[in-house]
Amino acid sequence: MSNPVTKRFIQCHDRLKEEKKVASSRQFALSIDTAPQSLNQVLKGKRDVTVKNIMSLVETYDVSAEFL
């Protein structure tokens, strides 16, 4: 269901939480300017991440675009 980019996006989300750079999935969603409900659907594998979310992740958390 999830494409490779979505899987890597989720890995980044999980890593940021593990490293305590974000306190919650809600905080993460708001920091990348997306609705927490939309992020939840991505995390559950019900939809793929958007280009906007990817760009926000790269810009906000200095994640490698090449990795994604």
Side-chain angles (χ1 to χ4, degrees):
M1 191 176 298
S2 295
N3 69 39
V5 175
T6 298
K7 289 178 183 177
R8 289 188 199 113
F9 178 89
I10 293 169
Q11 287 176 346
C12 290
H13 163 269
D14 294 347
R15 184 88 181 249
L16 289 167
K17 283 182 65 177
E18 286 172 14
E19 294 176 354
K20 305 213 185 300
K21 293 184 179 178
V22 293
S24 65
S25 294
R26 178 178 172 74
Q27 179 192 4
F28 176 75
L30 296 174
S31 73
I32 62 168
D33 197 30
T34 194
Q37 298 87 345
S38 295
L39 175 66
N40 191 37
Q41 294 218 329
V42 171
L43 296 176
K44 288 183 175 182
K46 293 183 178 182
R47 66 191 278 191
D48 285 321
V49 68
T50 65
V51 172
K52 179 184 172 227
N53 292 154
I54 293 167
M55 295 306 300
S56 292
L57 173 65
V58 169
E59 292 171 4
T60 304
Y61 294 102
D62 198 30
V63 171
S64 167
E66 289 81 24
F67 170 73
L68 292 169

